Amino acid sequence: MKIAILTRDSTLHSCQRLRSAAEARGHQVAMIDPLSCYVNINAALPAVHYQGETLGHFDAVIPRIGNATTFYGTAVLRQFELLGSYPLNKSVAITRARDKLHSLQLLAREGIEMPVTGIASSPDDTDDLIRMVGGAPLVVKLVEGTQGIGVVLAETRQAAESVIDAFRGLNAHILVQEFIKEAQGRDIRCLVIGNRVVAAIERAAKEGDFRSNLHRGGKAQAITISDREREIAVKAAATLGLAVAGVDILRASRGPLVMEVNASPGLEGIEGCTGLDIASQIIEWIEQHALSGHHSETSS
């Protein structure tokens, strides 16, 4: 098969792992920067142009599109879909997952438990918003944030009001979320491929922080998860229409809560912790689906 990996940085660990796994299985791989693509949106002859040439057909496309390039990256991915390439994750699913508010609303509609979350536009509603999520301490998140950036723990009511007002002053869209104290700065990253969790790690925040992201200095270890956690992770990925996803779960006293669903999960931390070859499992999934007409399986 001919496989394209859409990435702004082909040196990233996950991109290199996917490339080597695909090549080891006999596939041709091209690394393509989506921002260097330009598309011909044409009913008769749609095309993707790259570095002055028209790209030929790819059997499959693996999107490794960063948050900053979601809009243009998914537009380019959509064009590949139009040309008949199998997307590991569809453009519509990535767009859904990147909008934290929309994704939480979709998860709630399917009865998936999550921390109590609120959003409000008017400063007049700040008091009630804080009360709604159980008061301080609480978490304030930028809707567009990623890897723990734009996530603030407000320990007191006064701090919460200040943070909310500051974000509003920047015209930023924010979510206010219940703080799950019993999670103790830990969460579980479940890596889902299709209808199963292929790996799970527990991430712990570094001393003095509550964000467990590995990019922020968190530590990780392999972990065995419960059947309920497994079921919730698979359901969360399927709800957003993602074939491959990183589902972040908090262990709360009332049961597992989905915190976030990542449409482009990194492989370095989870492969390093578990010793599993997840990149090859992703390529196997593509082999099973790209050539068998299962293109609509994860769409909605």
Side-chain angles (χ1 to χ4, degrees), residues 134-192:
L138 56 80
V139 179
V140 183
K141 290 183 177 180
L142 278 177
V143 171
E144 294 88 2
T146 178
Q147 295 176 351
I149 298 163
V151 180
V152 179
L153 173 63
E155 306 232 19
T156 65
R157 183 182 188 84
Q158 191 175 8
E161 288 172 358
S162 298
V163 171
I164 292 167
D165 289 346
F167 276 138
R168 282 212 178 112
L170 298 169
N171 291 320
H173 299 296
I174 56 165
L175 300 174
V176 177
Q177 205 164 58
E178 169 192 16
F179 177 58
I180 307 299
K181 187 179 180 184
E182 61 270 29
Q184 297 181 315
R186 297 171 184 270
D187 73 5
I188 297 164
R189 160 61 61 94
C190 299
L191 203 134
V192 177

Short mmCIF file of all heavy atoms in Angstrom, two decimals, residues 134-192:
data_model
loop_
_atom_site.label_atom_id
_atom_site.label_comp_id
_atom_site.label_asym_id
_atom_site.label_seq_id
_atom_site.Cartn_x
_atom_site.Cartn_y
_atom_site.Cartn_z
N GLY A 134 -19.57 22.62 41.91
CA GLY A 134 -19.25 22.18 43.27
C GLY A 134 -18.33 23.12 44.03
O GLY A 134 -17.81 22.77 45.09
N GLY A 135 -18.12 24.33 43.50
CA GLY A 135 -17.29 25.31 44.19
C GLY A 135 -15.80 25.03 44.05
O GLY A 135 -15.39 24.09 43.37
N ALA A 136 -15.00 25.87 44.71
CA ALA A 136 -13.53 25.70 44.65
C ALA A 136 -13.12 24.58 45.60
O ALA A 136 -13.81 24.34 46.60
CB ALA A 136 -12.86 27.02 45.02
N PRO A 137 -11.97 23.90 45.33
CA PRO A 137 -11.13 24.08 44.14
C PRO A 137 -11.84 23.59 42.87
O PRO A 137 -12.65 22.67 42.93
CB PRO A 137 -9.89 23.24 44.45
CG PRO A 137 -10.36 22.22 45.44
CD PRO A 137 -11.45 22.86 46.24
N LEU A 138 -11.51 24.24 41.76
CA LEU A 138 -12.08 23.84 40.48
C LEU A 138 -11.04 24.06 39.38
O LEU A 138 -10.00 24.69 39.61
CB LEU A 138 -13.37 24.61 40.19
CG LEU A 138 -13.33 26.14 40.20
CD1 LEU A 138 -12.77 26.70 38.90
CD2 LEU A 138 -14.75 26.70 40.39
N VAL A 139 -11.31 23.52 38.21
CA VAL A 139 -10.36 23.61 37.10
C VAL A 139 -10.96 24.50 36.01
O VAL A 139 -12.13 24.36 35.67
CB VAL A 139 -10.05 22.20 36.53
CG1 VAL A 139 -9.10 22.29 35.34
CG2 VAL A 139 -9.46 21.31 37.62
N VAL A 140 -10.16 25.43 35.51
CA VAL A 140 -10.57 26.27 34.38
C VAL A 140 -9.71 25.86 33.18
O VAL A 140 -8.49 25.77 33.28
CB VAL A 140 -10.36 27.77 34.69
CG1 VAL A 140 -10.87 28.62 33.53
CG2 VAL A 140 -11.08 28.16 35.98
N LYS A 141 -10.39 25.57 32.06
CA LYS A 141 -9.67 25.09 30.86
C LYS A 141 -10.00 25.94 29.66
O LYS A 141 -11.17 26.26 29.42
CB LYS A 141 -10.10 23.65 30.52
CG LYS A 141 -9.64 22.59 31.47
CD LYS A 141 -10.08 21.21 30.96
CE LYS A 141 -9.55 20.11 31.87
NZ LYS A 141 -9.95 18.77 31.40
N LEU A 142 -8.98 26.25 28.89
CA LEU A 142 -9.22 26.85 27.57
C LEU A 142 -9.80 25.78 26.66
O LEU A 142 -9.29 24.66 26.61
CB LEU A 142 -7.90 27.33 26.96
CG LEU A 142 -7.36 28.70 27.38
CD1 LEU A 142 -6.01 28.94 26.71
CD2 LEU A 142 -8.32 29.81 27.01
N VAL A 143 -10.87 26.10 25.93
CA VAL A 143 -11.49 25.13 25.02
C VAL A 143 -10.47 24.66 23.99
O VAL A 143 -10.46 23.50 23.58
CB VAL A 143 -12.73 25.74 24.34
CG1 VAL A 143 -13.26 24.85 23.23
CG2 VAL A 143 -13.83 25.98 25.37
N GLU A 144 -9.57 25.56 23.57
CA GLU A 144 -8.59 25.21 22.52
C GLU A 144 -7.27 24.70 23.08
O GLU A 144 -6.33 24.46 22.34
CB GLU A 144 -8.30 26.44 21.62
CG GLU A 144 -9.48 26.91 20.80
CD GLU A 144 -10.36 27.92 21.54
OE1 GLU A 144 -10.00 28.27 22.69
OE2 GLU A 144 -11.39 28.32 20.99
N GLY A 145 -7.15 24.53 24.39
CA GLY A 145 -5.88 24.12 24.99
C GLY A 145 -5.49 22.69 24.66
O GLY A 145 -6.33 21.87 24.32
N THR A 146 -4.19 22.38 24.80
CA THR A 146 -3.71 21.02 24.56
C THR A 146 -2.47 20.75 25.41
O THR A 146 -1.76 21.68 25.79
CB THR A 146 -3.37 20.81 23.06
OG1 THR A 146 -2.86 19.49 22.87
CG2 THR A 146 -2.31 21.78 22.58
N GLN A 147 -2.25 19.48 25.74
CA GLN A 147 -1.07 19.03 26.50
C GLN A 147 -0.92 19.79 27.82
O GLN A 147 0.18 20.08 28.28
CB GLN A 147 0.21 19.18 25.66
CG GLN A 147 0.21 18.26 24.45
CD GLN A 147 1.42 18.45 23.56
OE1 GLN A 147 2.19 19.38 23.73
NE2 GLN A 147 1.58 17.56 22.61
N GLY A 148 -2.07 20.12 28.44
CA GLY A 148 -2.04 20.78 29.74
C GLY A 148 -1.87 22.28 29.68
O GLY A 148 -1.87 22.96 30.71
N ILE A 149 -1.70 22.83 28.47
CA ILE A 149 -1.57 24.29 28.33
C ILE A 149 -2.97 24.91 28.43
O ILE A 149 -3.93 24.41 27.84
CB ILE A 149 -0.93 24.65 26.97
CG1 ILE A 149 0.48 24.06 26.90
CG2 ILE A 149 -0.89 26.16 26.75
CD1 ILE A 149 1.06 23.99 25.51
N GLY A 150 -3.09 26.02 29.17
CA GLY A 150 -4.40 26.65 29.33
C GLY A 150 -5.29 25.92 30.30
O GLY A 150 -6.51 26.00 30.23
N VAL A 151 -4.69 25.17 31.24
CA VAL A 151 -5.45 24.47 32.29
C VAL A 151 -4.98 25.01 33.64
O VAL A 151 -3.78 24.94 33.95
CB VAL A 151 -5.23 22.94 32.22
CG1 VAL A 151 -6.02 22.24 33.32
CG2 VAL A 151 -5.62 22.39 30.86
N VAL A 152 -5.91 25.56 34.42
CA VAL A 152 -5.54 26.20 35.69
C VAL A 152 -6.38 25.62 36.81
O VAL A 152 -7.60 25.49 36.69
CB VAL A 152 -5.78 27.74 35.60
CG1 VAL A 152 -5.41 28.40 36.92
CG2 VAL A 152 -4.99 28.35 34.46
N LEU A 153 -5.72 25.27 37.91
CA LEU A 153 -6.43 24.85 39.11
C LEU A 153 -6.62 26.07 40.00
O LEU A 153 -5.65 26.69 40.42
CB LEU A 153 -5.63 23.77 39.86
CG LEU A 153 -6.19 23.36 41.23
CD1 LEU A 153 -7.58 22.74 41.10
CD2 LEU A 153 -5.24 22.40 41.95
N ALA A 154 -7.88 26.43 40.23
CA ALA A 154 -8.19 27.55 41.12
C ALA A 154 -8.56 26.98 42.49
O ALA A 154 -9.58 26.29 42.62
CB ALA A 154 -9.34 28.37 40.54
N GLU A 155 -7.72 27.26 43.48
CA GLU A 155 -7.89 26.60 44.79
C GLU A 155 -8.95 27.27 45.66
O GLU A 155 -9.49 26.65 46.56
CB GLU A 155 -6.55 26.57 45.52
CG GLU A 155 -5.44 25.94 44.69
CD GLU A 155 -4.70 24.85 45.43
OE1 GLU A 155 -5.24 24.34 46.41
OE2 GLU A 155 -3.60 24.53 45.00
N THR A 156 -9.21 28.56 45.40
CA THR A 156 -10.21 29.28 46.19
C THR A 156 -11.23 29.94 45.26
O THR A 156 -10.98 30.08 44.06
CB THR A 156 -9.56 30.39 47.04
OG1 THR A 156 -9.01 31.38 46.13
CG2 THR A 156 -8.45 29.85 47.92
N ARG A 157 -12.34 30.33 45.83
CA ARG A 157 -13.39 30.99 45.04
C ARG A 157 -12.86 32.28 44.42
O ARG A 157 -13.12 32.58 43.25
CB ARG A 157 -14.59 31.29 45.95
CG ARG A 157 -15.72 31.91 45.19
CD ARG A 157 -16.89 32.25 46.09
NE ARG A 157 -17.98 32.66 45.22
CZ ARG A 157 -18.80 31.81 44.62
NH1 ARG A 157 -18.66 30.52 44.80
NH2 ARG A 157 -19.76 32.25 43.83
N GLN A 158 -12.09 33.04 45.20
CA GLN A 158 -11.54 34.31 44.70
C GLN A 158 -10.59 34.06 43.52
O GLN A 158 -10.63 34.76 42.51
CB GLN A 158 -10.79 35.01 45.84
CG GLN A 158 -10.41 36.44 45.51
CD GLN A 158 -9.77 37.15 46.71
OE1 GLN A 158 -9.49 36.52 47.71
NE2 GLN A 158 -9.55 38.44 46.58
N ALA A 159 -9.76 33.02 43.66
CA ALA A 159 -8.84 32.67 42.56
C ALA A 159 -9.63 32.25 41.32
O ALA A 159 -9.29 32.64 40.20
CB ALA A 159 -7.91 31.54 43.01
N ALA A 160 -10.71 31.48 41.53
CA ALA A 160 -11.54 31.04 40.40
C ALA A 160 -12.12 32.23 39.65
O ALA A 160 -12.07 32.30 38.42
CB ALA A 160 -12.65 30.12 40.91
N GLU A 161 -12.66 33.19 40.41
CA GLU A 161 -13.24 34.38 39.79
C GLU A 161 -12.19 35.16 39.01
O GLU A 161 -12.43 35.62 37.89
CB GLU A 161 -13.88 35.28 40.86
CG GLU A 161 -15.16 34.71 41.44
CD GLU A 161 -15.67 35.51 42.63
OE1 GLU A 161 -15.00 36.48 43.03
OE2 GLU A 161 -16.74 35.14 43.18
N SER A 162 -10.98 35.29 39.60
CA SER A 162 -9.90 36.03 38.94
C SER A 162 -9.48 35.37 37.63
O SER A 162 -9.29 36.03 36.61
CB SER A 162 -8.67 36.13 39.85
OG SER A 162 -9.00 36.83 41.02
N VAL A 163 -9.32 34.04 37.66
CA VAL A 163 -8.89 33.30 36.47
C VAL A 163 -9.95 33.39 35.38
O VAL A 163 -9.65 33.65 34.21
CB VAL A 163 -8.58 31.82 36.82
CG1 VAL A 163 -8.36 31.00 35.55
CG2 VAL A 163 -7.36 31.73 37.71
N ILE A 164 -11.22 33.19 35.77
CA ILE A 164 -12.31 33.25 34.80
C ILE A 164 -12.37 34.64 34.17
O ILE A 164 -12.49 34.79 32.95
CB ILE A 164 -13.66 32.86 35.46
CG1 ILE A 164 -13.65 31.36 35.83
CG2 ILE A 164 -14.84 33.17 34.53
CD1 ILE A 164 -14.78 30.94 36.76
N ASP A 165 -12.28 35.67 35.00
CA ASP A 165 -12.32 37.05 34.49
C ASP A 165 -11.13 37.33 33.57
O ASP A 165 -11.28 38.01 32.54
CB ASP A 165 -12.32 38.06 35.65
CG ASP A 165 -13.65 38.06 36.41
OD1 ASP A 165 -14.63 37.48 35.86
OD2 ASP A 165 -13.71 38.61 37.52
N ALA A 166 -9.95 36.83 33.93
CA ALA A 166 -8.76 37.06 33.11
C ALA A 166 -8.91 36.42 31.73
O ALA A 166 -8.62 37.05 30.70
CB ALA A 166 -7.52 36.51 33.81
N PHE A 167 -9.37 35.15 31.70
CA PHE A 167 -9.58 34.48 30.41
C PHE A 167 -10.64 35.20 29.58
O PHE A 167 -10.51 35.38 28.38
CB PHE A 167 -9.98 33.02 30.62
CG PHE A 167 -8.82 32.07 30.82
CD1 PHE A 167 -8.88 31.07 31.77
CD2 PHE A 167 -7.67 32.18 30.04
CE1 PHE A 167 -7.82 30.18 31.95
CE2 PHE A 167 -6.60 31.29 30.22
CZ PHE A 167 -6.68 30.30 31.18
N ARG A 168 -11.71 35.64 30.26
CA ARG A 168 -12.78 36.36 29.55
C ARG A 168 -12.26 37.66 28.96
O ARG A 168 -12.66 38.07 27.89
CB ARG A 168 -13.95 36.64 30.51
CG ARG A 168 -14.81 35.40 30.72
CD ARG A 168 -16.26 35.83 30.95
NE ARG A 168 -17.10 34.66 31.11
CZ ARG A 168 -17.69 34.30 32.24
NH1 ARG A 168 -17.53 35.02 33.33
NH2 ARG A 168 -18.46 33.23 32.28
N GLY A 169 -11.37 38.31 29.72
CA GLY A 169 -10.78 39.57 29.25
C GLY A 169 -9.99 39.39 27.97
O GLY A 169 -9.80 40.33 27.20
N LEU A 170 -9.51 38.17 27.74
CA LEU A 170 -8.76 37.85 26.51
C LEU A 170 -9.69 37.29 25.42
O LEU A 170 -9.22 36.81 24.39
CB LEU A 170 -7.68 36.80 26.83
CG LEU A 170 -6.61 37.23 27.83
CD1 LEU A 170 -5.77 36.03 28.27
CD2 LEU A 170 -5.70 38.30 27.21
N ASN A 171 -11.00 37.34 25.68
CA ASN A 171 -12.00 36.78 24.77
C ASN A 171 -11.77 35.30 24.49
O ASN A 171 -12.00 34.81 23.37
CB ASN A 171 -12.04 37.55 23.44
CG ASN A 171 -12.61 38.95 23.63
OD1 ASN A 171 -13.56 39.14 24.39
ND2 ASN A 171 -12.00 39.93 22.99
N ALA A 172 -11.26 34.59 25.49
CA ALA A 172 -10.99 33.15 25.32
C ALA A 172 -12.24 32.36 25.72
O ALA A 172 -12.97 32.74 26.63
CB ALA A 172 -9.82 32.75 26.20
N HIS A 173 -12.47 31.25 25.03
CA HIS A 173 -13.56 30.35 25.39
C HIS A 173 -13.06 29.38 26.44
O HIS A 173 -12.03 28.73 26.25
CB HIS A 173 -14.05 29.57 24.16
CG HIS A 173 -14.58 30.46 23.08
ND1 HIS A 173 -15.70 31.23 23.25
CD2 HIS A 173 -14.14 30.70 21.83
CE1 HIS A 173 -15.94 31.92 22.15
NE2 HIS A 173 -15.00 31.61 21.27
N ILE A 174 -13.78 29.29 27.55
CA ILE A 174 -13.31 28.46 28.66
C ILE A 174 -14.39 27.49 29.13
O ILE A 174 -15.59 27.71 28.95
CB ILE A 174 -12.86 29.32 29.87
CG1 ILE A 174 -14.01 30.25 30.32
CG2 ILE A 174 -11.59 30.08 29.57
CD1 ILE A 174 -13.79 30.87 31.69
N LEU A 175 -13.91 26.39 29.74
CA LEU A 175 -14.78 25.46 30.46
C LEU A 175 -14.40 25.55 31.93
O LEU A 175 -13.21 25.71 32.26
CB LEU A 175 -14.53 24.02 29.99
CG LEU A 175 -14.77 23.67 28.53
CD1 LEU A 175 -14.32 22.24 28.27
CD2 LEU A 175 -16.23 23.83 28.17
N VAL A 176 -15.38 25.43 32.79
CA VAL A 176 -15.12 25.35 34.23
C VAL A 176 -15.52 23.94 34.66
O VAL A 176 -16.60 23.47 34.31
CB VAL A 176 -15.93 26.42 35.00
CG1 VAL A 176 -15.72 26.28 36.50
CG2 VAL A 176 -15.53 27.81 34.53
N GLN A 177 -14.61 23.27 35.35
CA GLN A 177 -14.81 21.84 35.60
C GLN A 177 -14.56 21.49 37.06
O GLN A 177 -13.67 22.04 37.71
CB GLN A 177 -13.84 21.06 34.70
CG GLN A 177 -14.27 19.65 34.36
CD GLN A 177 -13.47 19.11 33.19
OE1 GLN A 177 -12.25 19.05 33.24
NE2 GLN A 177 -14.16 18.70 32.13
N GLU A 178 -15.36 20.56 37.53
CA GLU A 178 -15.20 20.00 38.88
C GLU A 178 -13.79 19.44 39.05
O GLU A 178 -13.25 18.79 38.15
CB GLU A 178 -16.25 18.88 39.01
CG GLU A 178 -16.12 17.99 40.20
CD GLU A 178 -16.99 16.73 40.08
OE1 GLU A 178 -17.47 16.41 38.98
OE2 GLU A 178 -17.17 16.08 41.12
N PHE A 179 -13.18 19.69 40.20
CA PHE A 179 -11.86 19.14 40.51
C PHE A 179 -12.04 17.80 41.22
O PHE A 179 -12.73 17.73 42.24
CB PHE A 179 -11.08 20.11 41.40
CG PHE A 179 -9.73 19.61 41.83
CD1 PHE A 179 -8.77 19.25 40.90
CD2 PHE A 179 -9.42 19.48 43.19
CE1 PHE A 179 -7.52 18.78 41.30
CE2 PHE A 179 -8.18 19.02 43.60
CZ PHE A 179 -7.22 18.67 42.64
N ILE A 180 -11.46 16.76 40.65
CA ILE A 180 -11.59 15.41 41.24
C ILE A 180 -10.40 15.19 42.17
O ILE A 180 -9.34 14.71 41.76
CB ILE A 180 -11.65 14.32 40.13
CG1 ILE A 180 -12.74 14.65 39.09
CG2 ILE A 180 -11.89 12.95 40.75
CD1 ILE A 180 -14.16 14.73 39.64
N LYS A 181 -10.60 15.56 43.42
CA LYS A 181 -9.51 15.56 44.40
C LYS A 181 -8.93 14.16 44.61
O LYS A 181 -7.72 13.97 44.71
CB LYS A 181 -10.02 16.13 45.74
CG LYS A 181 -8.92 16.33 46.76
CD LYS A 181 -9.47 16.91 48.06
CE LYS A 181 -8.34 17.10 49.08
NZ LYS A 181 -8.86 17.59 50.37
N GLU A 182 -9.84 13.14 44.65
CA GLU A 182 -9.37 11.79 44.98
C GLU A 182 -8.49 11.17 43.88
O GLU A 182 -7.81 10.17 44.09
CB GLU A 182 -10.56 10.86 45.28
CG GLU A 182 -11.54 10.67 44.14
CD GLU A 182 -12.69 11.68 44.14
OE1 GLU A 182 -12.48 12.80 44.64
OE2 GLU A 182 -13.77 11.34 43.64
N ALA A 183 -8.48 11.80 42.69
CA ALA A 183 -7.59 11.30 41.62
C ALA A 183 -6.13 11.60 41.95
O ALA A 183 -5.21 10.98 41.39
CB ALA A 183 -7.97 11.93 40.28
N GLN A 184 -5.89 12.56 42.84
CA GLN A 184 -4.55 12.91 43.36
C GLN A 184 -3.54 13.17 42.24
O GLN A 184 -2.40 12.71 42.28
CB GLN A 184 -4.04 11.78 44.27
CG GLN A 184 -4.91 11.59 45.50
CD GLN A 184 -4.39 10.48 46.41
OE1 GLN A 184 -4.03 9.41 45.94
NE2 GLN A 184 -4.38 10.73 47.70
N GLY A 185 -3.98 13.94 41.24
CA GLY A 185 -3.07 14.31 40.16
C GLY A 185 -2.71 13.15 39.24
O GLY A 185 -1.72 13.21 38.51
N ARG A 186 -3.51 12.09 39.26
CA ARG A 186 -3.24 10.93 38.40
C ARG A 186 -4.39 10.76 37.41
O ARG A 186 -5.54 11.05 37.72
CB ARG A 186 -3.12 9.64 39.23
CG ARG A 186 -1.96 9.65 40.19
CD ARG A 186 -2.01 8.45 41.14
NE ARG A 186 -0.92 8.54 42.10
CZ ARG A 186 0.29 8.03 41.91
NH1 ARG A 186 0.57 7.39 40.79
NH2 ARG A 186 1.23 8.17 42.81
N ASP A 187 -4.06 10.25 36.24
CA ASP A 187 -5.11 9.83 35.32
C ASP A 187 -4.64 8.61 34.55
O ASP A 187 -3.49 8.19 34.67
CB ASP A 187 -5.55 10.97 34.38
CG ASP A 187 -4.53 11.30 33.30
OD1 ASP A 187 -3.49 10.62 33.19
OD2 ASP A 187 -4.77 12.25 32.54
N ILE A 188 -5.54 8.02 33.80
CA ILE A 188 -5.23 6.83 33.01
C ILE A 188 -5.37 7.19 31.54
O ILE A 188 -6.39 7.76 31.13
CB ILE A 188 -6.19 5.67 33.36
CG1 ILE A 188 -6.01 5.26 34.82
CG2 ILE A 188 -5.94 4.47 32.44
CD1 ILE A 188 -7.14 4.42 35.35
N ARG A 189 -4.34 6.92 30.75
CA ARG A 189 -4.42 7.08 29.30
C ARG A 189 -4.66 5.69 28.70
O ARG A 189 -3.82 4.80 28.83
CB ARG A 189 -3.13 7.71 28.76
CG ARG A 189 -2.84 7.53 27.26
CD ARG A 189 -3.88 8.13 26.31
NE ARG A 189 -4.08 9.54 26.40
CZ ARG A 189 -3.45 10.45 25.64
NH1 ARG A 189 -2.54 10.05 24.77
NH2 ARG A 189 -3.75 11.73 25.75
N CYS A 190 -5.81 5.53 28.08
CA CYS A 190 -6.14 4.28 27.39
C CYS A 190 -5.95 4.51 25.90
O CYS A 190 -6.51 5.45 25.34
CB CYS A 190 -7.59 3.88 27.63
SG CYS A 190 -8.00 3.58 29.36
N LEU A 191 -5.17 3.65 25.25
CA LEU A 191 -5.01 3.78 23.81
C LEU A 191 -5.96 2.79 23.14
O LEU A 191 -5.86 1.58 23.33
CB LEU A 191 -3.57 3.53 23.36
CG LEU A 191 -3.35 4.23 22.00
CD1 LEU A 191 -2.05 5.00 21.97
CD2 LEU A 191 -3.42 3.26 20.85
N VAL A 192 -6.91 3.36 22.39
CA VAL A 192 -7.96 2.56 21.75
C VAL A 192 -7.65 2.42 20.26
O VAL A 192 -7.34 3.40 19.59
CB VAL A 192 -9.34 3.23 21.93
CG1 VAL A 192 -10.44 2.45 21.21
CG2 VAL A 192 -9.69 3.37 23.41
#
